[in-house]
Amino acid sequence: MPRLNSYRELEHLRQRLREQRQSITTTVMVCGGTGCRASNSQAVIDAVRDELSGQGLDDSVRLCVTGCHGFCEQGPVIIIEPGNIFYCHVSPEDAFEIVYQTVMKGEVIERLLYEDPVSGKIVQTEAEIPFYKAQDRRILSQNRLVDPCSIEDYIVAGGYAALPRVLNGIAPEDIINEIKSAGLRGRGGGGFPTGRKWGECMDAPGDEKYVICNADEGDPGAYMDRSVLEGNPHLVLEGMMVGARAVGASKGYIYVRNEYPLAVKNSRIAVEQAREVGLLGDNILGTSFSFDVDIARGGGAFVCGESTALMASIEGKVGEPRPKDVHTVVDGLYHKPTTLNNVETWANVPSIILNGSSWFASKGTKGSKGTKILALTGRIKNTGLVEVAMGTSIREVVFDIGGGAANGNSIKAVQTGGPSGGCLPLGKFDLAVDFDVLAEAGSMIGSGGMVVMDEETCMVDVAKYFLTFLQDESCGKCVPCRLGIDRMLEIITDITEGRGRMEQLDLLEELGDTISQTALCGLGKTAPNPVLSTLRYFRPEYEAHIKEKKCPAGVCKALITYRIDPDKCTGCGVCISGCVHGAITGEKKQPHVIDAQLCQKCGICRSECKFDAIQVF
Amino acid sequence: MLQYVNVNIDGATIRAPRGTSVLDAAIEYGICIPHLCHVPFLSDIGACRLCIVEHVVNGRSEVTTSCTLNVEEGMIIRTNTDKIRRLRRNLAELLVAQAPNSRAIQDIALRCGVKEVRYPFRNEDCVLCGRCVRVCAEIWQARAIGFVGRGKDRHVDYPFGIRPDFCKQCGSCVQICPMTIPPCDGPMKPGEEYLCGKCESQLMDETPGSCAWCKLGEGFGCGRYVGV
Amino acid sequence: MPPQILDTILEGRRSQPNQLIEVLHDVQENYGYIPREAIESVSQGLGVPLIEVYRVASFYKAFKLNPSGKHVLTMCTGTACHVRGSHLLLDYAISQLGIKPGEVTPDGLFSIEQVNCLGACALGPIVAENGTYHHHMTPAKLRKLIETLSRQETEDVQYAQTQ
């Protein structure tokens, strides 16, 4: 593709590409995101491509390999336009039928349609699926339109229209004011007002400045950034270009965690393509604005999601945070003023420039404007990526979108904000997804992870899980985090193994308070949150572990026994052959028995038994 | 030309050169702020968190380490509030529970008001203060040792665990280590650790009005002894 | 260890300390781990003190200082996988193979790695074997996977012996 030397040339290119596609009558969008790839969507993509070629349809039908659609459990997913037909659980063998029946004859294949687990109804179009209908997919909906490895797709879809606007005589202060009026707040967890951050960086003295995209997304259970970066890297790049122009940066980095190889690959391709047409590099679109981006890979460290640790990592050092008495907007990467924002924050920028701050602020609450992408996972029927307007209640997200409990259990809690966040009980589900509301309740939006828990989730075990995670990921530099988390974990382990004492609960609170006030960085400061929030809302579970030495949810191994219900057991022997510890005995067709001394509660027998005969007490 | 600024520490106005840390300024004036990883001639890393103070800004007070906070004109600092004393005491408790087998750590615990240790004692011989690493890198420029590993695994080691030939064998790392000051009654056997409370630091009161030139400071090189 | 590969990796990056992590990634990809000689060469090539290279290699989970097994079982222990029982999978792998995460079985066939979220949460619990994702895993399915891989190894050895 030729280099674009002016805004007019970009628009001509857009026009030309759109004209070229006028002969396309049908578009087949196959999801090539990590989730669907894990369900073998590559084979589906190849099969559909072969079938389309075989039928000679390459000129009239466009096969678009898209990024993540967010409904990963239904993958591989295919959407066909016109008609908005949504097929799920597609296998390569279905390719022929899809092309012949649906693409060529316009007939819908019933067995590939989505069946709503709540109503039992078959749904034909994507728009009618309750999971999607209840959302507000300002950003995620764009994933359907583009092949992430195609800058043409992005341009045809209207991309790179915000960039020329900010290069054409709009002063950097005005760009920043627009972002400020929009009320955009950081989507990575901090919720810091983006406009203010950009303003401070612009004001910082120095000619050499940087912008960074934080795609480290270390929160376990969160994959919003992965989907946006994998699925629409040009959107993120364009946001960074606008930001660079505003603060006066000429170099940017996208820091992608090592565990996201596809996101690394797709962002590298996007950068190459942008360079090729001159949207990155010197004198972009014939103006004096020069800006280039490099991709930096993480090395497998959650702490590198913290801004100073991330910058140390880009500098080739260990990801150890440093004190932030002087902010990174003044003294950041290589000690230069640096604006670091999360993937989703950058992704929101182009639309604010194009549609205006009032448009952006028309959704959301007073303190939290716009939409937020959430990773809704856990014990519910519909798991996946969800985008909702700020102000939507947790109840709506969990029940209207998530479809409620997965297996007849009753939902008990939702964990938001990853390891820095907290657990909220069912009674708090009317709280809105809003930065300040959730923070006040003892949790936080964080990066957007939302894990739903039911009666089979032990809240003490959840606290232990997060402490173990944080202990593993702590850089180890400061005393409160390194020693404090270790001691909290020691106490919680005592509790889960039946050695807990009531006074330890007070010690947990005091130690938690000390860590949160004295730790050097955000990881340490927020580390006590899971413990403190579960203590606040689920204290009876802690007390049951301590006073009665019981785990009500049936999780803590030291406090439970596996037992076979003689009424349900058919004596089939599957569990006996499955048990690797030789703990089960019994004759054929006679109820089997588990020897509690030998049983290690590994769970194999429970996962093999087809009669649900093995109970946990 | 040194530029001086006025800062308010615990109600007293103190003049200090621009670029000095709050900790150094306080110590110079005889205000005792406990510290462990700070050594006057080495860089400050803010790792032990013992030197925390309250920095009052816009009516709000932020808890921050005084070794990494540089003096600014009109700054208001509180080193001895109830909150700071409580936080410091809890940090010192964590340290002494981890490494009771060191006179310096036991003395720090007493100085910070630790009266009971609510965690099972361990018997570690390193508190990861980083003094040895910094003296090797910054004074001798040898870089024969460094921090290796992460989190619970973090420890000081040679490359590959083998002493390299560029180690200058100067002994500074041993000299500057707070753990090598011998404990009063000899090494504590594993399982028989306790809070000693017998400090020779002459501290009857956990918050001295001004520097007492205590033995603790002398023993492990407090800023006042070594000189700012 | 062929010096040419290291030369290629260091090409264009010499005396640039900030390239350390990218260089170590390339070394890891080429050798499956970071050998001692590589750490020494990288230290000289980039101008980074030896202890610093060693430190960076030991800090980041992506870099292994020891070779892995032939089949690396990466167990995702992210929150979504955890509430779906991933700890049972990890416990099972540890007891069945007799090694802890980061270690290799004596026959060099298996090693276990633990990762805190692969980003495929809706499909959890996930176990990845040499990059292939297995989803909705249960202890029973994991047992089958290990048995299948072990059996495949035995068959390969027997086949090789007949040649």
Side-chain angles (χ1 to χ4, degrees), chain C residues 71-100:
Chain C
H71 299 283
V72 182
L73 294 174
T74 307
M75 332 266 319
C76 181
T77 48
T79 318
C81 288
H82 179 78
V83 299
R84 286 185 180 182
S86 67
H87 54 290
L88 292 175
L89 297 174
L90 186 60
D91 289 346
Y92 176 71
I94 291 172
S95 74
Q96 185 65 8
L97 297 171
I99 52 172
K100 292 205 284 287

Side-chain angles (χ1 to χ4, degrees), chain A residues 62-361:
Chain A
R62 181 172 146 243
L63 171 64
C64 183
V65 180
T66 67
C68 183
H69 291 241
F71 211 178
C72 312
E73 208 149 23
Q74 305 300 320
V77 158
I78 293 189
I79 299 181
I80 299 176
E81 297 279 13
N84 195 228
I85 300 168
F86 185 92
Y87 288 147
C88 52
H89 297 302
V90 179
S91 36
E93 295 73 43
D94 298 322
F96 171 71
E97 223 179 314
I98 293 177
V99 173
Y100 192 64
Q101 298 279 107
T102 311
V103 176
M104 292 172 69
K105 296 209 280 184
E107 285 165 13
V108 163
I109 305 168
E110 287 263 331
R111 67 178 172 79
L112 290 177
L113 290 176
Y114 173 74
E115 183 183 323
D116 180 24
V118 181
S119 65
K121 292 211 183 83
I122 307 275
V123 183
Q124 182 167 304
T125 66
E126 177 201 12
E128 285 170 299
I129 295 178
F131 176 76
Y132 285 122
K133 206 160 146 184
Q135 294 183 43
D136 215 320
R137 294 168 73 86
R138 270 183 176 177
I139 298 183
L140 284 181
S141 59
Q142 298 180 48
N143 272 19
R144 303 154 73 256
L145 306 171
V146 302
D147 177 336
C149 301
S150 159
I151 191 174
E152 286 107 318
D153 277 10
Y154 186 65
I155 293 176
V156 163
Y160 289 123
L163 176 63
R165 232 184 248 198
V166 304
L167 293 180
N168 255 336
I170 299 187
E173 297 83 41
D174 295 329
I175 305 173
I176 292 177
N177 283 333
E178 192 69 1
I179 302 291
K180 279 183 178 166
S181 314
L184 177 63
R185 286 170 70 171
R187 296 292 196 252
F192 192 84
T194 308
R196 205 167 104 200
K197 182 184 273 192
W198 289 16
E200 284 175 19
C201 191
M202 185 189 79
D203 289 338
D207 289 324
E208 210 183 313
K209 297 185 185 176
Y210 294 97
V211 292
I212 299 182
C213 172
N214 185 343
D216 192 59
E217 194 165 58
D219 280 3
Y223 57 109
M224 304 74 60
D225 295 346
R226 166 173 83 60
S227 302
V228 172
L229 191 57
E230 257 177 28
N232 205 346
H234 285 286
L235 178 63
V236 177
L237 264 182
E238 192 176 0
M240 289 174 76
M241 291 168 183
V242 172
R245 168 80 180 127
V247 306
S250 56
K251 184 72 198 267
Y253 288 93
I254 303 182
Y255 184 89
V256 189
R257 69 193 293 246
N258 186 48
E259 294 85 338
Y260 286 172
L262 192 57
V264 172
K265 178 167 161 236
N266 289 0
S267 14
R268 279 192 175 143
I269 293 175
V271 165
E272 278 312 312
Q273 291 176 343
R275 282 182 185 151
E276 199 192 316
V277 299
L279 285 170
L280 281 176
D282 292 327
N283 303 110
I284 296 174
L285 293 183
T287 66
S288 58
F289 177 60
S290 301
F291 177 61
D292 199 11
V293 171
D294 269 331
I295 313 293
R297 275 186 287 181
F302 170 78
V303 69
C304 285
E306 195 274 348
S307 55
T308 58
L310 191 156
M311 292 177 199
S313 189
I314 294 181
E315 294 175 12
K317 303 180 183 142
V318 289
E320 264 175 29
R322 61 160 178 77
K324 282 203 278 205
D325 297 284
V326 181
H327 295 152
T328 50
V329 284
V330 174
D331 179 354
L333 185 64
Y334 299 114
H335 294 293
K336 307 285 183 206
T338 306
T339 297
L340 180 142
N341 277 124
N342 170 267
V343 170
E344 195 182 336
T345 313
W346 289 122
N348 269 292
V349 169
S351 54
I352 294 178
I353 300 296
L354 282 177
N355 303 327
S357 53
S358 326
W359 167 86
F360 183 79

Side-chain angles (χ1 to χ4, degrees), chain A residues 35 73 220-221 226 257-258 297-300 313 315 317 319-320 334 379 383 461 465 469 472-473 557 577-578, chain C residues 18 20-22 25 29 55 59-62 77-80 82-84 91 116-117 119 121-123 136 139 143:
Chain A
E73 208 149 23
R226 166 173 83 60
R257 69 193 293 246
N258 186 48
R297 275 186 287 181
S313 189
E315 294 175 12
K317 303 180 183 142
E320 264 175 29
Y334 299 114
R379 319 274 283 194
T383 59
D461 178 70
Y465 166 80
F469 172 87
D472 202 32
E473 298 290 346
K557 283 192 180 174
S577 44
Chain C
N18 63 7
L20 178 55
I21 292 176
E22 283 298 318
H25 271 304
E29 272 160 27
R55 185 181 183 204
F59 181 91
Y60 292 103
K61 280 253 176 74
T77 48
T79 318
H82 179 78
V83 299
R84 286 185 180 182
D91 289 346
N116 285 321
C117 199
C121 312
L123 301 163
H136 292 113
R143 180 176 169 219

